[in-house]
Amino acid sequence: MANIVAITSCPTGIAHTFMAAEGLEQGAKALGHTIKVETQGSVGAQNTLTESDVQKADVVIIAADTKVDLSRFTGKPVYETSTNAAIKDGQAVVKDALAYAEARPASTAGAETAERADYMAQVQAAKAAQSKSRRGPYKHLLTGVSYMIPFVVAGGILIALSFAIAGYQVAFDTSNSLGAALFTIGAKGAFALFVPILSGFIAYSIADRPGLAPGMVGGILAGLTGSGFLGGIIAGFLAGYTVYWLNRGIRLPRNFAGLMPVLILPVLGTLIVGLLMFYVVGVPVHAINVALTNWLKTMQAGNAVLLGLLLGLMMAFDMGGPVNKAAYAFSVGLLSSNITMPMAAVMAAGMTPPLGLALATVLFKNRFTHDEREAGKAAWVLGLSFITEGAIPFAAEDPFRVIPSIMIGSAVTGALSMLFQCQLHVPHGGIWVMFIPNVVNGLPFYLLSVVVGTLVTTGALFILKRPIAAEAEEEATATKVVAA
């Protein structure tokens, strides 16, 4: 019996984090091992690993889509994978982690057999592939997005509350009224920080702490040069890779090594990134940003519907995965330019997959197992809360029928939201923020879009999914034919 510790973390820190933890716990239990999982979610770290836990561990599993600090695990075999892998097959992740841990010390001893050496080579090759994927640009972007989201949510809701109290003219109010104060906190406080936070933590993901200052400064310069959200992303990657290569290229005597993280890297990194933002990146990206903003603001009905349909398809395709997060990040970035229709389409389209599945488990019980019907009860709350990951258990069981069904429903929802020109001023919250005055423009039509998309999803499931008894009978018949 092995002793395992693990950390799970996803960009939003809501659903994937805890579903991955559950997958690992169930996988370890089924294999007869003990495990303790620390979740680094939206409310901070929970079930935190102690020094004693780490010392006793035979292997450390990191199931994360964002950067996780590994300094606690020096000397321990650390197996890294994604949250999706842990959600889909926790047992397989545990087995792979233990195999990696078993092979690792054998390689240092130099006494393995030829079979062991071949097996170790396979493990190391898989590990290298994982590491390359894990350190890719998308992983760094998701790390930045995960730290950015709380600032956008807080700012958006405070701005909406200021509109509810004093109307849209509060943006020009210079008094000390409550509405003006809320607008200032939201727009000039939280919203003003979200691009620098995004840039800083992209750089942090690439170059660790030395990248943080150049990244944040680059994000502020993105605002000053008018390059906005796109410029912030570029600044984050520029800062991260600049500091990373400076750290590798500059070699100082040991007595001066302490100057690298506190003086040399921040100063040189900030200088290089700042000059690049002013003289290379700022002007062209500002032009791109203005062109994109103008196109979205003057979008005709046909183009708007097409964009909503595309965003809806992306939201449902992988239910919180990379494609879903790309659509979400695109829409969140537009909020800083006061373009709010795509955000409305994205949130509505992200709500319908769990809601459609929940409704289907009630209306068509014979198409779902007992466990799926029980999961349907939770899917109501997850869908209403804009947690698309509530559809994952159903998609994992029957992907070729469930995924097309929810994609159809979300595409319809996104298209309708854009057709009705619904606008959303906050990036999260689902049904729970919709009834704050002025958070949603066109609320009746927005709710209609969600309801229609939910019904379309449920209808598609009725058509594509067969009753369980009929499927079982067909499988039994097919087995008999093959045996004959």
Side-chain angles (χ1 to χ4, degrees), residues 117-301:
D118 182 61
Y119 177 68
M120 280 192 336
Q122 295 178 24
V123 171
Q124 296 296 344
K127 186 70 175 175
Q130 284 180 337
S131 179
K132 182 178 179 181
S133 170
R134 193 171 60 247
R135 295 172 184 168
Y138 186 75
K139 178 70 173 285
H140 305 315
L141 176 62
L142 286 189
T143 299
V145 169
S146 71
Y147 284 96
M148 174 193 77
I149 287 173
F151 291 85
V152 184
V153 173
I157 290 179
L158 288 173
I159 291 170
L161 287 173
S162 73
F163 290 161
I165 293 171
Y168 289 104
Q169 67 273 14
V170 73
F172 308 100
D173 188 351
T174 57
S175 70
N176 292 323
S177 66
L178 177 60
L182 290 175
F183 182 83
T184 300
I185 295 168
K188 299 180 181 179
F191 253 43
L193 282 172
F194 90 74
V195 171
I197 290 294
L198 170 71
S199 303
F201 281 95
I202 289 174
Y204 167 76
S205 180
I206 299 168
D208 219 315
R209 291 182 184 180
L212 198 55
M216 287 192 169
V217 172
I220 291 173
L221 294 176
L224 294 177
T225 59
S227 52
F229 185 74
L230 293 177
I233 293 174
I234 293 171
F237 283 105
L238 276 177
Y241 286 114
T242 297
V243 172
Y244 177 80
W245 288 110
L246 287 173
N247 197 21
R248 289 172 62 91
I250 299 174
R251 290 290 177 264
L252 296 177
R254 181 175 298 178
N255 292 339
F256 296 98
L259 296 176
M260 287 288 284
V262 297
L263 177 63
I264 295 173
L265 294 178
V267 171
L268 286 180
T270 301
L271 175 64
I272 293 169
V273 171
L275 292 174
L276 287 173
M277 290 300 296
F278 267 119
Y279 295 111
V280 179
V281 175
V283 173
V285 177
H286 171 66
I288 294 171
N289 203 40
V290 170
L292 176 62
T293 300
N294 290 337
W295 176 72
L296 288 168
K297 285 183 175 178
T298 60
M299 205 164 33
Q300 300 299 314

Side-chain angles (χ1 to χ4, degrees), residues 5-10 12-22 24-25 35-50 53 61 68 72-73:
V5 296
I7 292 178
T8 61
S9 175
C10 71
T12 54
I14 301 175
H16 272 62
T17 297
F18 300 100
M19 293 170 73
E22 184 179 1
L24 292 176
E25 287 167 350
I35 188 170
K36 181 177 180 180
V37 184
E38 176 182 314
T39 55
Q40 296 185 359
S42 56
V43 294
Q46 295 182 332
N47 200 32
T48 307
L49 301 176
T50 65
D53 294 328
I61 299 176
V68 172
R72 289 182 283 172
F73 310 119

